[in-house]
Amino acid sequence: MMKLPLLGFLGALICLAVACSATMYIVGDTSGWDISSDLDSWESGKRFVVGDVLMFQYSSSSNSVCQLTEAEYEKCDTSNALLRSTSGNTTFTLNKPGEMYFACCSRLYCLGGMKVHVHVEPNSTAAPIGAPIAAPGPTSSGLLPRTSKNNNPTLTSSSAFSNVACAPLVFLLGFLGYSILNSMF
């Protein structure tokens, strides 16, 4: 009977670890989110699944990113964007299968090709993760690749943008599970 809680805990820990294994894509790679980036080539050949994250790195003084509907995307109409950010580093979690559309909030830049459309496939190994998030920029430890952008990103606080940290959750769940199971035996 004592093995049932242990199996349940291990199952929950494995599910959380799998859900935290999303791929983070830096839009435009080392060129970042910029009018000079070849975004068609960047998107080509990539497979996006639910739970993956798109990171837009850009100069907040001259660029921005909007999430749009298909009709808005085709016309570069950002006046009623679903989401809009000017923080310099913006991430969007791909939280459901289907089509997602992003463009620079400047209509001229969008018309110049600063826009990207991604097809998001279902991910049978991970549950949907939630709303788009804003993430911290590159650090001196090199956790994120450097771009040619020279900006000082800030976090945007709202219900649409929040930080996600899976590793601490896995650690905390592991520690709590160990403590509980250790007290049972």
Side-chain angles (χ1 to χ4, degrees):
M1 192 66 166
M2 290 294 188
K3 290 183 180 184
L4 189 58
L6 177 61
L7 290 175
F9 167 73
L10 290 175
L13 188 61
I14 289 169
C15 288
L16 183 59
V18 168
C20 292
S21 65
T23 301
M24 178 176 281
Y25 293 97
I26 298 178
V27 178
D29 291 327
T30 58
S31 298
W33 181 241
D34 188 80
I35 190 68
S36 64
S37 298
D38 184 359
L39 296 171
D40 290 332
S41 293
W42 173 81
E43 183 184 346
S44 177
K46 289 185 174 55
R47 180 178 176 260
F48 302 99
V49 296
V50 170
D52 286 349
V53 177
L54 297 182
M55 175 174 247
F56 294 81
Q57 294 182 319
Y58 53 94
S59 171
S60 60
S61 63
S62 61
N63 289 325
S64 56
V65 62
C66 288
Q67 182 179 2
L68 305 171
T69 65
E70 181 179 9
E72 293 168 336
Y73 175 85
E74 294 299 329
K75 296 177 190 172
C76 285
D77 177 7
T78 61
S79 59
N80 293 313
L82 301 171
L83 295 171
R84 174 184 308 266
S85 179
T86 59
S87 70
N89 280 343
T90 305
T91 60
F92 290 90
T93 300
L94 305 177
N95 57 6
K96 62 182 178 181
E99 310 306 310
M100 294 188 78
Y101 302 90
F102 302 94
C104 182
C105 300
S106 163
R107 187 164 196 264
L108 290 176
Y109 279 31
C110 177
L111 290 169
M114 199 168 162
K115 59 184 187 175
V116 65
H117 159 228
V118 296
H119 173 75
V120 184
E121 297 178 15
N123 184 350
S124 60
T125 62
I129 292 187
I133 58 172
T139 64
S140 59
S141 64
L143 293 177
L144 297 174
R146 293 276 182 203
T147 70
S148 60
K149 308 298 165 265
N150 182 12
N151 65 339
N152 296 314
T154 58
L155 293 177
T156 303
S157 290
S158 76
S159 61
F161 302 108
S162 63
N163 286 325
V164 171
C166 286
L169 291 175
V170 172
F171 174 78
L172 181 61
L173 184 60
F175 178 76
L176 290 174
Y178 173 79
S179 299
I180 291 168
L181 292 173
N182 196 29
S183 68
M184 292 174 64
F185 296 108

